[in-house]
Amino acid sequence: MKILFLANRIPYPPYRGDKLKIFNLAKRLSKKHELHLLTFAQTKQEFEYKQELEKIFKKVDLIYLPKWKSALNCLSAAWDNKPLQVLYFQSGEMQAKLNDVLSEYKFDAIHVQHLRMSPYLKDRKDLPRILDLPDAFSLYWERRKKIQRNFPRRVFENMEQSRVLKYEKVTNDYNLSLVCSNEDLEYLKEVHGLTNIKLLPNGVDLDSFKAGGHDYEHNHTILFTGNMDYAPNIDAVGYFTEEILPLVRVRFPETKFIIAGQRPVPKVQALANEHVLVTGFVKDFAKVYNDASVVVAPLRFGAGTQNKVLEAMAMGVPVVCSHIGFKGLGIQSGEGAIMQTDPTRFAETIIELLSSASMRKDVGTKGVEVIRNRFGWDVIAQQLECYLQEVSRN
């Protein structure tokens, strides 16, 4: 097949989030299919990655959209009722380039990444199109509203949640929509009455995050990973440091909490002390996971599934997490990850794990089996291939 990927961010370097997903899926699909990429570059430096992407994609087109121009786009919210995150990626140049690409090539299927890119092809019912959503964004904003915040932020978030909820109906304009967790899938079906939506989980690179060799004897390091300018992560590490870690340290006073991830905002950097380490950018996350005794994901809002949970499970490291992302895994608590929503119970579960090497090994080993069977990128790329073939035939 000849497949076009229309993405909101350049999928390189493939360190976290939506970049990671597109890179890994395309890397595998490129072995059998001809892939083309059209995406945005937000900085001049990102143009340097084109050569790396051309190892996967036959043709790569980058449209320059600096952040200042995206910010100006958002001013149109005064008269345009699209969500701000959709307006942020609005570009006449992108639309013109897309039209050129579509006139030059005949694609068997088109993969549109994210709600943010949905306007570009929502009216092209003559083309076989898949809209791949990272999660149910209206659910994300609904959960975020429940977190205490100041008045201006509350007004903004309520407005954005309302806009996203209305705009998500654009999924009906696509041949097929995909979402990464069963929880988000059922939510979108119920809220919007969707019938053209299926599951495409997030995955793990089992070559990079390989189980084996983890030392279950050490019990002194708690780890959180993720992009540290992302609101759910910022809230999670603050919440953990203030409400959960002190309870753990009563029993294990020497415990270190590692916050590992790029672009830590000042609010995150301010958490650093003799017991809390903020690393900033990490190149080798596999080593960081392997050095951890327990991985935590105490998110209080968000949707979809969490890479941090999947990666830790792949390496056999036990995870304690909130309900955010856990339900989307389709596992029982204890099969690699233990779910807790109350801060006291969250702390008690960490203490139980730190107190027992056998418990850490048991939870971790079960997680490895779950990931190998269901969340490897090879398996997920095969699922996407089937979906692309489906829309191409229809």
Side-chain angles (χ1 to χ4, degrees):
M1 288 193 297
K2 186 178 293 185
I3 304 164
L4 172 64
F5 279 79
L6 180 65
N8 67 302
R9 297 188 196 278
I10 185 169
Y12 198 88
Y15 286 127
R16 310 299 292 169
D18 47 10
K19 295 187 176 190
L20 189 71
K21 184 173 186 179
I22 293 297
F23 180 85
N24 279 287
L25 290 173
K27 181 180 177 181
R28 286 155 178 82
L29 290 174
S30 66
K31 297 175 183 178
K32 294 170 59 178
H33 306 285
E34 180 183 312
L35 307 185
H36 294 233
L37 174 67
L38 175 56
T39 187
F40 287 113
Q42 292 187 299
T43 67
K44 294 292 187 181
Q45 180 187 1
E46 289 182 332
F47 283 89
E48 299 174 9
Y49 304 141
K50 184 177 179 180
Q51 188 174 358
E52 287 296 325
L53 290 169
E54 286 173 340
K55 296 175 182 177
I56 296 174
F57 298 92
K58 181 175 180 179
K59 193 168 191 304
V60 176
D61 289 300
L62 303 178
I63 302 300
Y64 186 47
L65 184 66
K67 292 181 180 180
W68 66 265
K69 188 176 287 188
S70 290
L72 287 179
N73 286 344
C74 292
L75 295 178
S76 64
W79 61 85
D80 191 327
N81 62 2
K82 294 188 192 77
L84 286 175
Q85 60 189 290
V86 173
L87 294 173
Y88 191 88
F89 289 92
Q90 194 166 267
S91 166
E93 187 179 354
M94 170 62 80
Q95 187 67 67
K97 184 61 181 179
L98 175 59
N99 293 342
D100 290 343
V101 170
L102 293 175
S103 64
E104 184 177 355
Y105 300 97
K106 179 176 174 56
F107 294 102
D108 296 295
I110 301 173
H111 179 279
V112 180
Q113 182 201 23
H114 220 293
L115 189 70
R116 299 163 181 168
M117 301 301 287
S118 61
Y120 291 105
L121 284 171
K122 72 181 184 66
D123 297 323
R124 290 299 304 269
K125 293 183 170 40
D126 58 312
L127 299 172
R129 301 148 303 138
I130 288 177
L131 178 60
D132 192 348
L133 305 171
D135 48 38
F137 264 94
S138 57
L139 177 60
Y140 165 91
W141 286 106
E142 182 64 34
R143 286 171 167 168
R144 185 163 174 167
K145 284 165 57 178
K146 297 175 182 178
I147 304 300
Q148 186 176 8
R149 61 236 197 271
N150 59 39
F151 179 73
R153 178 167 291 184
R154 190 161 65 244
V155 170
F156 162 73
E157 292 177 359
N158 289 348
M159 177 193 76
E160 185 71 356
Q161 194 272 339
S162 176
R163 290 182 177 215
V164 168
L165 185 61
K166 292 176 182 176
Y167 194 79
E168 267 178 344
K169 295 176 183 178
V170 72
T171 49
N172 281 310
D173 295 323
Y174 279 78
N175 304 88
L176 178 64
S177 294
L178 304 174
V179 73
C180 70
S181 82
N182 274 313
E183 182 183 21
D184 293 39
L185 181 74
E186 295 304 320
Y187 169 85
L188 289 170
K189 281 184 175 180
E190 180 181 349
V191 171
H192 298 301
L194 299 179
T195 57
N196 64 331
I197 188 165
K198 295 184 179 181
L199 184 67
L200 185 73
N202 282 333
V204 181
D205 185 343
L206 298 181
D207 292 326
S208 299
F209 299 97
K210 189 179 298 184
H214 180 70
D215 181 7
Y216 290 102
E217 293 305 314
H218 63 69
N219 67 341
H220 48 67
T221 305
I222 301 171
L223 173 67
F224 180 98
T225 70
N227 289 336
M228 294 318 304
D229 57 354
Y230 180 51
N233 289 342
I234 297 168
D235 176 79
V237 294
Y239 163 62
F240 183 84
T241 303
E242 294 169 10
E243 299 192 33
I244 299 174
L245 184 60
L247 301 178
V248 175
R249 291 192 59 247
V250 170
R251 175 67 176 80
F252 291 95
E254 300 305 314
T255 297
K256 300 287 186 181
F257 178 42
I258 312 297
I259 301 171
Q262 61 187 346
R263 301 188 301 271
V265 298
K267 189 174 181 179
V268 173
Q269 293 174 355
L271 298 174
N273 58 41
E274 61 180 321
H275 298 288
V276 179
L277 173 64
V278 179
T279 69
F281 173 77
V282 172
K283 186 173 183 179
D284 186 0
F285 268 101
K287 183 181 186 308
V288 174
Y289 283 119
N290 214 32
D291 290 342
S293 310
V294 176
V295 170
V296 294
L299 278 77
R300 296 193 290 179
F301 62 94
T305 53
Q306 307 298 320
N307 286 331
K308 59 180 71 62
V309 175
L310 298 176
E311 291 166 354
M313 288 172 60
M315 297 197 66
V317 185
V319 181
V320 185
C321 63
S322 68
H323 63 293
I324 304 299
F326 177 83
K327 293 180 180 178
L329 296 172
I331 63 173
Q332 298 296 314
S333 186
E335 292 181 339
I338 301 172
M339 187 186 78
Q340 296 293 356
T341 55
D342 175 76
T344 301
R345 282 299 301 140
F346 202 110
E348 289 172 351
T349 300
I350 293 172
I351 290 169
E352 289 173 12
L353 284 165
L354 294 179
S355 301
S356 171
S358 62
M359 182 181 179
R360 292 195 297 278
K361 185 174 183 178
D362 179 62
V363 174
T365 302
K366 289 177 180 176
V368 172
E369 289 305 308
V370 169
I371 297 298
R372 282 178 177 169
N373 293 332
R374 294 166 48 194
F375 292 98
W377 281 122
D378 289 342
V379 173
I380 296 167
Q382 289 175 3
Q383 287 182 275
L384 178 58
E385 181 181 39
C386 290
Y387 291 144
L388 291 164
Q389 290 171 339
E390 177 186 329
V391 299
S392 178
R393 287 193 304 267
N394 296 336

